[in-house]
Amino acid sequence: MVVGPINQLRNLVVPIAVGLVVGGFNPWVIGASAAAVVALLAGGLVTWRTVFYEVGEERLEIRSGLVRRSRRTIPLERVRGVDVTSTLLHRLLGVAVVRIEAAAGAGGSEDGKLDAVDAAEAERLRRVLLDRRAMLADGAAEPASGAAVPGDSAEAQPKPGAAADGMVTHFSMRPSWYLYGALSLAYLLTPFAVLATLFGVVQQAAGDQAADYVLEWVTTTDRGMLTALSAGAAGALVLLMPVFAVVSYAFTHWGFSLRERDGSLVAERGLFTRRSVTLEKRRIRGHELLDNPLERTRRAVRLRAIVTGLGDTANRAVLLPIGPRATVDAVLARALTPFRGLLVRHPRAALYRRWVRAVGPFAVLAGVGLVAQWTWLVVAASVLAALGVVLGLDRYRSLGHGYDGAMVSVRSGSLRRRQATVERSAVIGWTWTQTLPQRRTGLADLQVTVGAGDGGYTAMDASQRRSVAFAAGVTPEIVRPFLVRPRDSAQGSSDTAEG
């Protein structure tokens, strides 16, 4: 009765405030604002009285509505994930939001949301739904030890301390980890995002008056003073970038923890909005290690799971935020199966292709500048071309793919380098793609197709012949039936050895 109206009222605060100010606190405007608040409170009461849920043996049913009634039924065997989220308001009231993600038969998604239930009930629902889903998937006769049985009320409540049975803590956030937020390019841009939001609010509230005021101030202010203020503001933004980055990183990942319970990994994080995501290990088919150039200078990396049928992977698949590579590798070895092999380096032709892409456009610009005798264009293009040489080399050094007998791993990228590692059993196909320049140099993009995560991960500019041998070594049952032996047996033996 409290959470719903307050959440809706947040969307009306700015319009109501603007209406009161513009309307000069007219009695009609005040009355309309009061009526809107009363309507929200009444809506909260109606919602509280008309929303019901029930966990059956095979289905979850959610009923809601007074005038327009709705009944949503979700088969428990299709439940893919149960997330528990609580904002600061939820935590003050001792409640939480339960989001149920379920696979629809047509390939879409059918989700259930309960906002807001008691915090203890939210945890019980998560255990019941996941345990029942596992039972239905495996055809088990009994629920997991310590799990609540759907359909019971008082008997379904877990015993005191039962929730901690079998709990394994793989990682708990250390204070020093928050400083790694300053290495993230996304968090470093936080001050600009805040300024854009403030400008948007001012523009919405004041409209053309604010724009006219700013324009008048700029045209009447002394040019020297204006230049000094602009330089000072730009310098302050640059200095505040790492501070804002650390603060926003801390807000997002405050108290991050990774635990394992009942065959699932539970990642929990957040300061104001606390989010708990449960990922069944049976649905985790691999992992991703991501970093950028700034993070590589401190040997920092982040860890993300590759999960079957998971939406919003950028937020829900996070297993570890940015942190030291050694610690991330240690946690990965405890929680999942790491890649223990070596990555194969791609041919030298792949380096030339990256240099052409990174340097070529700026070399053309420099040539145009020479012809037109534009010195500034020649200098700028030359500097960018030199940076392109370094970027192309880094992109080439990031390329690689490998197989250790159990896990297949591919890596690429520079500004956002990603190494994706998937289980051999998760590979369901291979795709080779060649452009005209790649065909001339014997290169190809090899995509490992999997039924999880992004659906496929690409080893870019690999040797076409060796990539065929690589795929045949990983999944011979898929690739070898399509290999053609050359007519010359001697040449055929050589080709077979080299792929």
Side-chain angles (χ1 to χ4, degrees):
M1 293 178 60
V2 177
V3 171
I6 290 181
N7 286 336
Q8 297 181 33
L9 185 61
R10 289 186 305 180
N11 299 326
L12 298 177
V13 168
V14 174
I16 290 177
V18 172
L20 291 174
V21 173
V22 175
F25 294 92
N26 185 288
W28 290 100
V29 177
I30 296 176
S33 301
V37 174
V38 172
L40 290 178
L41 295 176
L45 174 62
V46 171
T47 301
W48 176 67
R49 294 289 296 176
T50 58
V51 174
F52 300 89
Y53 64 93
E54 180 182 3
V55 182
E57 291 296 324
E58 297 181 353
R59 300 176 184 276
L60 166 68
E61 185 174 302
I62 303 175
R63 289 170 289 173
S64 62
L66 178 63
V67 178
R68 182 182 179 184
R69 296 184 177 180
S70 171
R71 175 177 292 184
R72 172 166 294 180
T73 301
I74 301 176
L76 297 184
E77 62 183 4
R78 292 184 179 177
V79 172
R80 288 181 170 177
V82 181
D83 296 349
V84 178
T85 306
S86 56
T87 64
L88 183 60
L89 176 62
H90 286 90
R91 295 207 299 276
L92 290 175
L93 298 175
V95 295
V97 182
V98 180
R99 289 183 173 87
I100 303 98
E101 182 185 22
S109 64
E110 49 183 7
D111 297 328
K113 178 181 177 181
L114 298 173
D115 184 10
V117 299
D118 184 80
E121 172 69 1
E123 291 296 328
R124 187 192 76 86
L125 278 173
R126 173 161 59 181
R127 292 176 60 86
V128 167
L129 294 174
L130 293 179
D131 287 339
R132 179 60 64 181
R133 185 261 184 195
M135 290 170 57
L136 293 173
D138 295 341
E142 297 293 337
S145 176
V149 179
D152 295 339
S153 55
E155 293 80 5
Q157 298 295 336
K159 298 179 181 179
D165 290 348
M167 175 73 74
V168 178
T169 300
H170 292 302
F171 174 78
S172 294
M173 196 77 160
R174 303 183 182 94
S176 59
W177 273 55
Y178 297 115
L179 299 178
Y180 283 96
L183 302 178
S184 172
L185 299 178
Y187 288 116
L188 284 172
L189 297 177
T190 302
F192 302 98
V194 172
L195 283 177
T197 303
L198 290 177
F199 285 144
V201 172
V202 172
Q203 180 67 25
Q204 183 180 4
D208 295 336
Q209 296 179 357
D212 294 340
Y213 175 79
V214 173
L215 182 61
E216 181 182 358
W217 180 80
V218 170
T219 55
T220 57
T221 303
D222 180 70
R223 292 294 180 87
M225 177 67 70
L226 191 62
T227 302
L229 290 176
S230 300
L237 277 178
V238 172
L239 294 176
L240 287 176
M241 285 174 63
V243 177
F244 272 83
V246 172
V247 172
S248 57
Y249 176 83
F251 284 169
T252 304
H253 299 292
W254 184 266
F256 192 104
S257 65
L258 180 66
R259 298 181 173 88
E260 183 173 346
R261 178 180 59 194
D262 299 332
S264 298
L265 293 178
V266 182
E268 189 172 350
R269 59 174 175 164
L271 179 60
F272 295 120
T273 299
R274 195 74 179 164
R275 187 171 191 177
S276 178
V277 179
T278 301
L279 302 175
E280 291 183 281
K281 293 188 71 173
R282 70 174 69 197
R283 293 173 51 219
I284 299 178
R285 310 314 304 270
H287 61 271
E288 292 178 304
L289 295 173
L290 303 102
D291 57 26
N292 62 41
L294 283 178
E295 292 165 355
R296 290 199 290 275
T297 60
R298 304 299 301 170
R299 292 189 56 80
V301 71
R302 69 196 77 185
L303 177 64
R304 194 164 66 185
I306 298 176
V307 188
T308 302
L310 184 70
D312 190 19
T313 56
N315 294 312
R316 299 181 62 200
V318 175
L319 295 181
L320 283 180
I322 308 168
R325 179 67 181 259
T327 304
V328 173
D329 287 341
V331 174
L332 174 60
R334 292 194 300 267
L336 298 174
T337 302
F339 176 70
R340 303 185 185 279
L342 297 176
L343 296 179
V344 177
R345 178 169 292 185
H346 290 193
R348 183 73 63 176
L351 171 61
Y352 302 147
R353 279 176 54 82
R354 270 138 192 80
W355 274 343
V356 169
R357 294 177 181 179
V359 179
F362 303 114
V364 172
L365 285 178
V368 172
L370 286 174
V371 173
Q373 296 184 350
W374 293 341
T375 305
W376 62 271
L377 181 59
V378 174
V379 174
S382 300
V383 172
L384 293 176
L387 294 176
V389 173
V390 178
L391 177 62
L393 179 61
D394 187 65
R395 291 183 62 200
Y396 170 72
R397 294 177 59 184
S398 296
L399 295 177
H401 63 278
Y403 176 55
D404 64 359
M407 309 294 290
V408 182
S409 186
V410 296
R411 188 179 68 186
S412 63
S414 177
L415 299 180
R416 183 179 181 271
R417 188 173 69 173
R418 178 173 71 169
Q419 180 175 352
T421 301
V422 297
E423 300 172 353
R424 185 264 182 200
S425 59
V427 178
I428 60 176
W430 304 86
T431 301
W432 282 267
T433 306
Q434 280 185 305
T435 63
L436 284 174
Q438 285 178 319
R439 270 181 272 182
R440 290 194 303 101
T441 54
L443 301 178
D445 292 340
L446 172 62
Q447 184 186 68
V448 187
T449 306
V450 297
D454 294 342
Y457 300 92
T458 303
M460 302 177 63
D461 286 334
S463 168
Q464 195 272 337
R465 296 172 63 85
R466 293 187 178 182
S467 66
V468 172
F470 172 78
V474 176
T475 57
E477 69 280 4
I478 296 178
V479 179
R480 290 195 182 278
F482 298 95
L483 297 183
V484 178
R485 183 182 298 276
R487 295 180 181 179
D488 186 353
S489 59
Q491 181 66 25
S493 301
S494 176
D495 288 344
T496 302
E498 297 183 6

